[in-house]
Every structure is written in structure tokens, then in C-alpha cells.
Amino acid sequence: MNDLFEIVEDLDTIATFGSDSDTMDGIIEKWKERLEDAQYEAERQYEMFSGVAKILDKRYETYEMDDGA
């Protein structure tokens, strides 16, 4: 939600100072850094989830083979 507020503030700043200002460069740089951070976090979560999924798959295979007979 805070990102939304920041985006609107940044758009207001661009509307005030124009896109040919140093302010615009700072805004672009800020959001590029945020993109890189978000991509890293998404990859980290994917790897973590993949590991959990593999563990659950192995547990399910073990449970499936042990039918209580």
C-alpha cells in the first residue's frame, strides 16, 4: 500500500518538474532498485517453496507406499 502512495507522489513530482529533470532520474533509479530487490525476493521465495514442495512430495510418496497393509 505504501508503494502506491509513493508512486502517486512520484507521478505528482514528475507532473510538477517535468520528465527532463534530475528529479526524474532519481525516481527512475529508485524504482529500478526496487525492481531488482523484488526480483531477488521472488527468486528467493521460489527456491524456498521449491524446497518445501520437494519435501512434501517425498512425504506423500512415503505415505502412499505405506498403505497400512
Side-chain angles (χ1 to χ4, degrees):
M1 183 68 111
N2 289 336
D3 284 347
L4 178 60
F5 295 138
E6 266 191 86
I7 291 168
V8 171
E9 288 173 1
D10 288 344
L11 290 172
D12 285 340
T13 301
I14 293 167
T16 301
F17 296 107
S19 61
D20 293 334
S21 66
D22 291 337
T23 304
M24 179 69 174
D25 294 338
I27 291 170
I28 295 294
E29 194 60 36
K30 174 178 75 171
W31 287 107
K32 283 183 178 181
E33 287 177 15
R34 296 254 181 109
L35 175 61
E36 289 175 10
D37 292 345
Q39 288 172 331
Y40 170 79
E41 184 63 21
E43 290 174 17
R44 188 187 71 78
Q45 289 180 14
Y46 175 79
E47 292 297 325
M48 186 172 60
F49 179 75
S50 293
V52 170
K54 287 177 185 176
I55 291 169
L56 292 176
D57 285 346
K58 287 182 182 179
R59 285 186 180 177
Y60 180 75
E61 289 171 6
T62 303
Y63 175 77
E64 199 173 54
M65 291 170 34
D66 183 20
D67 61 2

